[in-house]
Amino acid sequence: MFFGYTHCPDVCPTTLLEWSNLMRAAGADLGAFKLLFVSVDEERDTPSALKAMLASFDPRITALTGSAAEIAAVARQFGAFYEKVKRADGEYSIDHTVKSYLVDQEAHVAGGIDPETPE
């Protein structure tokens, strides 16, 4: 599971590309493995925006979104951080955890991977 957003300029697309490359290289050896991309931007990340973004990545990546309260509840369960940062031009970005959470078949967090973790 990875928390991010579609307007992320760097970490999110890079992480999704790295996961896609790893998943494609593993092929069928992954079994039922799936990556869940949880949007932390309920304002801009509509289902159609998420679908358009994920079209460039491995099809085993599924995007999830919800209300602000639902997203906050899931993030708390994982200890994930995100915070809207207003910019001078009136737009905003979102600072967020860059860690991917590994969840076992019993829905327990089994570990994590961050950009410093070797392949």
Side-chain angles (χ1 to χ4, degrees):
M1 180 174 282
F2 177 71
F3 293 86
Y5 66 113
T6 61
H7 287 74
C8 181
D10 46 25
V11 172
C12 296
T14 300
T15 299
L16 291 171
L17 179 60
E18 288 172 349
W19 271 114
S20 290
N21 291 340
L22 289 168
M23 292 167 79
R24 286 184 182 128
D29 292 342
L30 283 176
F33 180 87
K34 235 182 159 158
L35 179 66
L36 301 178
F37 175 76
V38 180
S39 170
V40 295
D41 187 358
E42 81 284 349
E43 291 179 43
R44 297 181 292 195
D45 287 354
T46 63
S48 59
L50 289 163
K51 182 178 181 180
M53 178 190 183
L54 289 184
S56 300
F57 302 104
D58 191 282
R60 290 170 285 191
I61 300 174
T62 300
L64 302 173
T65 190
S67 69
E70 291 167 329
I71 294 166
V74 172
R76 268 193 308 278
Q77 288 178 327
F78 286 85
F81 165 84
Y82 66 97
E83 178 179 52
K84 187 185 287 188
V85 178
K86 296 214 182 234
R87 298 188 322 220
D89 64 4
E91 290 293 319
Y92 66 90
S93 62
I94 299 178
D95 289 345
H96 62 90
T97 302
V98 297
K99 180 179 186 179
S100 295
Y101 298 88
L102 301 175
V103 181
D104 66 20
Q105 293 179 346
E106 286 80 41
H108 299 108
V109 176
I113 297 172
D114 63 39
E116 303 302 315
T117 303
E119 277 188 23

